[in-house]
Amino acid sequence: MKSLQLALSSAKEGTASFGSFIREGFASLFRQGSYPACDGLRALAMIWVTSFHAVEHYASKTGWGQLPDTWWAISVPMNGDVGVDIFLVLSGFLLGGALCEEYKRKGSIDLPKFYAKRWFRIAPPYAMAMLASWLSDMPRGTQDGCSKFWWTNMLFINNYWPTWCCFKYNLCMVHTWTIAVEFQLYFATPPLFALAWFLSKRLPKMSFSAIAFMLGALVWLACCARRIAYVLEHGKDMVDGKNMGEPYVGTLYRMAPYAAGLCGGIAVQEVTKGHWTMPRWLAYAMACLSVVILLLCCLIGGEPGYFGRSSSGASYIELRQVSLTQVAVGRPFIGLAQAYLLVLVSTDNAPRLHSFLGARVWTPVAALSYSMYLLQYVGWLFVFIPAYNNYIKEWLVGSSYLQRLVVAYQMPLLAMLGTFPLALLNFLFVERSSMIVSKRLLAAPPKVAPEVPVTDSKV
């Protein structure tokens, strides 16, 4: 009888603990961070990227037909790969500000703790998503690719190996090359700030923040130089083959938005404290230029990849100097525009944009964005693909262009509906759990007060 009561008591305590864990998990979905606008930007980036994959898949399944040929009607979702640049800007922005503050406060950072924290944040949900992708073979070829090359994903080198040239191999979760790029940039960031701290001690007339900002700017320029060199070497082949998407996955070619974010994070710290200022007319001019750049990227993308293959973009590709210039510096300037607008929002210089991006509706979407990105193709199996194969495919026979266009804009919604439950589970039980474990493992040990010797007060 006592054993039964003990078992019931343990079960009741376990149920209560589990319920508390779930409630806290759901509460964390709606908890805003220090920069609420970053939540809105992250949510929009995730929606944009997943919309691109869904619309591109739908257009290819329908034989493309009129959709890509009348490019302007679907230009926004088809340029959704720019969402990757937004993710990189956000990562650089948040990390740049945090490291700048930590160096000023301590004069150093705990490197093992820094890298361990990032690993716990990224790797466990990634591994779980990889298992789900392997079991479902989504995207197609993942089962074979992950069986052979899973280790390259876990080492975050899958944007370099296996080679992306000509798709000689089935790749493991082909879309996760972006995570490799991001982790490699995480790895390189502390040495950059350590160099800035070292130089600030040797150059007393320059502040640490100014040197760190300049080093970030040099990284941005180095990326531009690397892209320009590639275009000068391969430009003719790119135009002739209409292959304007190269280089695409290399970290050296994609680090400019991250570097722009680093500079933005540092700038926010200094502007907020009143150390840095900018003439109002210059700030307004740069804001207008940033908006123009982002509007253009919605129309023709980071580089004229899919746009160049459409009838609308064919003549654009023939403008060799213009199209190659876009390939060379398009993404770096898109990252710069995003970072600058993020600085304006974070320093209360764009209140309306701040109200939009900081709205609480974006917070849970942003919290689920990582798991949504990882599991987007697995989620297709539940709503997107069944709906297309069983209903939409037959209905599209003999349909008009307008009907096809309306369906194209419904595809992202179907894709995200299937992915949302999986992302929620991965967030609650894997992503959040790994963050809790990392906090406990990496927490500083409590300080023990020294014992005070007891003296006899009696005389």
Side-chain angles (χ1 to χ4, degrees), residues 9-27 424-425 427-430 432-433 436:
S9 177
S10 299
K12 188 180 293 184
E13 290 178 4
T15 303
S17 298
F18 181 76
S20 177
F21 176 81
I22 296 297
R23 284 193 300 274
E24 177 58 28
F26 274 102
L424 183 61
L425 290 173
F427 172 81
L428 288 175
F429 296 106
V430 183
R432 185 168 171 271
S433 297
I436 292 173

Side-chain angles (χ1 to χ4, degrees), residues 118-158:
R118 266 75 200 166
W119 188 91
F120 273 107
R121 174 70 180 84
I122 295 172
Y126 190 7
M128 181 58 68
M130 191 186 304
L131 176 61
S133 298
W134 180 80
L135 291 172
S136 61
D137 195 29
M138 287 296 290
R140 296 304 179 195
T142 289
Q143 198 166 74
D144 178 58
C146 286
S147 296
K148 297 175 181 175
F149 303 115
W150 62 270
W151 57 274
T152 65
N153 292 64
M154 288 291 95
L155 290 177
F156 304 102
I157 58 172
N158 53 302

Side-chain angles (χ1 to χ4, degrees), residues 62-243:
T62 55
W64 287 76
Q66 297 172 311
L67 284 178
D69 289 335
T70 312
W71 171 260
W72 309 114
I74 58 168
S75 65
V76 174
M78 286 299 291
N79 288 321
D81 65 332
V82 174
V84 172
D85 299 303
I86 299 178
F87 284 134
L88 292 174
V89 169
L90 286 168
S91 296
F93 177 84
L94 295 171
L95 200 55
L99 288 180
C100 186
E101 279 296 292
E102 188 166 355
Y103 259 101
K104 286 182 176 181
R105 191 173 65 253
K106 298 180 179 178
S108 65
I109 63 167
D110 187 339
L111 276 179
K113 185 176 180 179
F114 174 87
Y115 291 128
K117 185 177 179 180
R118 266 75 200 166
W119 188 91
F120 273 107
R121 174 70 180 84
I122 295 172
Y126 190 7
M128 181 58 68
M130 191 186 304
L131 176 61
S133 298
W134 180 80
L135 291 172
S136 61
D137 195 29
M138 287 296 290
R140 296 304 179 195
T142 289
Q143 198 166 74
D144 178 58
C146 286
S147 296
K148 297 175 181 175
F149 303 115
W150 62 270
W151 57 274
T152 65
N153 292 64
M154 288 291 95
L155 290 177
F156 304 102
I157 58 172
N158 53 302
N159 62 323
Y160 286 111
W161 181 260
T163 177
W164 275 66
C165 174
C166 316
F167 288 96
K168 294 178 181 179
Y169 316 96
N170 285 322
L171 301 176
C172 180
M173 298 180 73
V174 61
H175 60 298
T176 58
W177 64 268
T178 61
I179 298 170
V181 170
E182 195 162 343
F183 198 87
Q184 289 161 23
L185 291 171
Y186 281 155
F187 196 84
T189 302
L192 190 75
F193 276 79
L195 176 60
W197 185 259
F198 172 80
L199 292 176
S200 69
K201 298 304 178 184
R202 299 296 183 275
L203 303 169
K205 292 184 178 181
M206 296 187 67
S207 68
F208 164 70
S209 298
I211 294 175
F213 186 93
M214 290 173 61
L215 290 177
L218 286 175
V219 172
W220 185 88
L221 289 171
C223 180
C224 290
R226 189 69 187 91
R227 293 177 71 94
I228 291 170
Y230 186 94
V231 167
L232 290 175
E233 183 178 355
H234 302 281
K236 185 179 184 303
D237 296 334
M238 294 168 75
V239 171
D240 292 343
K242 293 187 177 181
N243 184 15

Side-chain angles (χ1 to χ4, degrees), residues 394-418:
E394 184 178 351
W395 181 82
L396 286 174
V397 176
S399 61
S400 66
Y401 167 74
L402 182 59
Q403 289 172 320
R404 287 172 177 260
L405 183 61
V406 170
V407 172
Y409 276 92
Q410 292 175 346
M411 292 296 102
L413 179 60
L414 295 178
M416 285 184 279
L417 280 175

